[in-house]
Amino acid sequence: MKARKVQGEMANVKINDFSQEIESIKILMSNYDSSDIFNMDETGLYYRSVPIRSNSKAPIKGNKKLLSRITLVFCVSLTGEKLPPFMIGTAIKPRSFNSFNFQDYIEYGSSRNGWMTSTLYKSWITKLNQKMTKQNRKILLLVDNCPSPTQIPLSNVKIVFLPPNTTGLLQPLDLGVIRSFKCFLENSKCSKC
């Protein structure tokens, strides 16, 4: 027996309820080359947080949780092509970016609380559409619960929404890349202690 953290929304999901939607997504995916099927997901990152577990013989006093947050958006193709991460912070122009050219590594946007907004999403998806138009590529973009850019005509990006509450079962980025990224960050925090 182990003490485990309860997380996710998978208890609410009955995959049979979404079998028709999943089949229609599979049919749609069959019309695209593997290199043109992308998956996008976002995750919140409390970058100042301290580990919530520790090995010790006696109880350890905790600190106040620091809620400084950024949102990271990852987008990769089925074949492993990675688009630059999109980072959303609270500062319009972060001082930490003054010493290097961050545009070479990430895209950056800001919102009051560091969360994805429909305005930021529309800006990101428009840039992605422009990039795919320049490359003369038509792509399929699988997303879960992002705001839909209904007013934006997208010529080279077809957005497909995964069924609601199935992120923990069907979202490839959530199951692989984001989990690995967060584990890497958590381990690097612990090694500095």
Side-chain angles (χ1 to χ4, degrees), residues 15-32:
I15 203 69
N16 294 336
D17 295 347
F18 301 108
S19 58
Q20 287 182 333
E21 290 178 61
I22 293 168
E23 284 304 314
S24 65
I25 291 171
K26 285 181 182 178
I27 291 168
L28 192 56
M29 288 173 66
S30 68
N31 296 325
Y32 288 84

Side-chain angles (χ1 to χ4, degrees), residues 72-96:
L72 293 170
V73 178
F74 296 101
C75 187
V76 298
S77 76
L78 192 60
T79 57
E81 178 185 348
K82 299 173 197 86
L83 298 179
F86 180 39
M87 182 174 133
I88 303 165
T90 55
I92 294 171
K93 189 174 180 187
R95 283 180 276 165
S96 60

Side-chain angles (χ1 to χ4, degrees), residues 45 47 72 180-190:
L45 184 65
Y47 60 92
L72 293 170
S180 298
F181 176 76
K182 286 189 170 184
C183 286
F184 173 78
L185 285 181
E186 189 62 35
N187 288 334
S188 65
K189 278 185 196 178
C190 293

Side-chain angles (χ1 to χ4, degrees), residues 123-136 154-157:
S123 171
W124 181 83
I125 200 78
T126 302
K127 287 179 188 174
L128 177 62
N129 189 61
Q130 290 168 351
K131 179 178 182 174
M132 293 303 147
T133 303
K134 285 179 186 174
Q135 294 178 6
N136 199 23
L154 300 172
S155 58
N156 290 51
V157 177

